[in-house]
Amino acid sequence: MIPPAAVAVVRAGVENAHGNGLDTAEDVAEQVVEELVAMGWTIVLAPPDDTRPAAA
């Protein structure tokens, strides 16, 4: 589960990216990652967590 503070930071990054005229998912994601890394976050690409059972 993602902590609420982390969700808020990501949402703010998305709003900022949209405010800068970025609208594609790739551009927004890149902008958000750049902002988070600049603030000291460590971002790593991880495979999807597919160990959970599918919903019935």
Side-chain angles (χ1 to χ4, degrees):
M1 177 142 219
I2 299 173
V7 173
V9 168
V10 172
R11 282 188 179 147
V14 170
E15 289 177 10
N16 187 32
H18 285 161
N20 288 335
L22 303 174
D23 58 359
T24 67
E26 184 176 321
D27 289 344
V28 170
E30 184 177 329
Q31 178 69 35
V32 169
V33 168
E34 286 179 8
E35 289 183 25
L36 294 175
V37 170
M39 293 187 321
W41 288 43
T42 300
I43 308 294
V44 295
L45 182 60
D49 179 12
D50 58 0
T51 59
R52 294 177 284 166

